[in-house]
Amino acid sequence: MADSPPCPLRLSTAILPVRPWAKGGRDVWQRAEELGFHTAYTYDHLSWRSFRDGPWFAAMPTLTAAAAVTGQLRLGTLVTSPNFRHPVTLAKELITLDDISGGRITLGIGAGGSGFDATALGHDAWTPGERADRLAEFLPLLARLLREDGPGGFSYRGDHYSAHEVRNVPGCVQRPRLPFAVAANGPRGMRLAAWHGQSWVTTGDPATQEGTPGEAWAGLEQQLDRLAATCTEAGRDPADLGKVLLTGFTPHRPLESLDAFVDFAGTCAELGITELVLHWPIPDSLFAADLGVFERIATEGLAQLTVRH
């Protein structure tokens, strides 16, 4: 009998920055590489939901430290947003991080939300429309800043952001720039993903996250259909855009067992998802899970999927 085709999915993890580096933080990132994850992401927030009153460390220094103690694992954010970032300073940090990591960085980026990050700098939270407007300017400007590596500098003046004679020599290790994974639910965000992204990120359709598993699958399928139509309208082959699902926000429970993961991942692959991101377990939190089961999923899950599908 012919060998089964390789699994079309990549398996990645999201490591929330809640552990002091010398007290387990370093170990988790190194273990993620040992387990064979494709990418290890972290949240780029100042704090987040139920973790707000506990330890929470900054994304860019954490990724820099992770780059120094790993060698093959890709690293990235899920996701960065304009809520407290500026394209000029972010570009410089990303170019530096891409250099330190040897070209292993992916930037997950989206419009941001209305949580703590939205008001931490002392201004009122932007409306959804304002967040979309800012991302529509932020993303292409950042893309240009990451590619403009000549000695003459780069200048820009827009509605929300400006740059004056910015120099980003030598540019990214990854050419022409490091990849973007664009988180988007609405039509404007999906167009940005089609125009600027190497992949698209979702946590599932927000309208179905409190529903049944079947409703969540239907919502995800509709999102993927809208994304495909958006890519076609933008003149891009939908197959060229990666589809990333950050798990943990739908009614599904893929970390309950290896079998549960295989069933979940199989459906994701059938729908067209190309990368699954599993939250590294954190006890007594939304992301609590059995670490032993999690590690079995990391090492055996995709092989099981190849056999069963």
Side-chain angles (χ1 to χ4, degrees):
M1 185 174 71
D3 292 338
S4 300
C7 175
L9 280 175
R10 287 172 168 169
L11 190 60
S12 298
T13 187
I15 301 173
L16 270 61
V18 297
R19 301 169 181 85
W21 193 249
K23 298 180 180 179
R26 176 197 299 109
D27 298 340
V28 171
W29 290 89
Q30 291 179 319
R31 184 58 176 157
E33 181 164 64
E34 292 170 357
L35 291 172
F37 282 109
H38 177 263
T39 303
Y41 300 96
T42 197
Y43 285 16
D44 189 14
H45 288 291
L46 300 176
S47 69
W48 191 79
R49 296 191 188 181
S50 60
F51 298 93
R52 181 172 177 178
D53 293 322
W56 188 276
F57 297 95
M60 297 304 170
T62 296
L63 290 172
T64 302
V69 298
T70 59
Q72 303 297 321
L73 181 71
R74 287 196 63 84
L75 306 164
T77 58
L78 277 185
V79 296
T80 295
S81 81
N83 269 354
F84 62 95
R85 294 289 185 186
H86 189 285
V88 169
T89 51
L90 178 60
K92 185 66 73 173
E93 291 180 354
L94 290 171
I95 287 170
T96 304
L97 184 52
D98 203 44
D99 173 67
I100 291 170
S101 69
R104 292 186 283 135
I105 301 303
T106 295
L107 178 73
I109 186 166
S114 58
F116 173 69
D117 292 346
T119 57
L121 299 186
H123 58 72
D124 292 337
W126 300 319
T127 67
E130 288 171 330
R131 292 198 300 270
D133 289 342
R134 285 178 175 271
L135 183 64
E137 186 176 332
F138 190 108
L139 191 58
L141 174 55
L142 179 63
R144 291 187 64 181
L145 287 163
L146 292 172
R147 296 169 73 129
E148 297 283 343
D149 57 357
F154 170 74
S155 296
Y156 166 88
R157 183 169 295 278
D159 294 332
H160 304 289
Y161 304 103
S162 297
H164 180 65
E165 296 184 358
V166 176
R167 288 158 173 80
N168 281 330
V169 182
C172 295
V173 173
Q174 301 173 86
R175 294 292 180 166
R177 61 161 169 80
L178 56 82
F180 290 171
V182 182
N185 292 314
R188 295 178 67 187
M190 285 189 176
R191 283 194 293 271
L192 290 173
W195 291 334
H196 301 288
Q198 282 61 60
S199 56
W200 164 77
V201 181
T202 185
T203 56
D205 185 349
T208 64
Q209 288 180 358
E210 300 299 324
T212 67
E215 290 169 340
W217 287 130
L220 180 59
E221 186 171 13
Q222 290 171 4
Q223 282 186 306
L224 289 162
D225 288 344
R226 292 195 298 272
L227 181 68
T230 301
C231 287
T232 300
E233 291 170 3
R236 182 172 186 178
D237 184 349
D240 290 340
L241 186 67
K243 289 88 176 174
V244 182
L245 176 60
L246 177 61
T247 66
F249 300 98
T250 67
H252 311 104
R253 297 293 177 264
L255 297 184
E256 283 190 345
S257 67
L258 181 60
D259 286 343
F261 170 80
V262 171
D263 289 342
F264 175 82
T267 301
C268 287
E270 290 168 1
L271 290 176
I273 296 296
T274 59
E275 182 178 352
L276 285 176
V277 184
L278 309 177
H279 286 88
W280 196 279
I282 301 175
D284 303 318
S285 77
L286 171 65
F287 304 119
D290 184 283
L291 184 59
V293 172
F294 177 82
E295 294 200 350
R296 279 199 69 197
I297 288 169
T299 56
E300 304 175 33
L302 295 188
Q304 292 280 344
L305 185 64
T306 300
V307 170
R308 298 190 193 187
H309 296 82

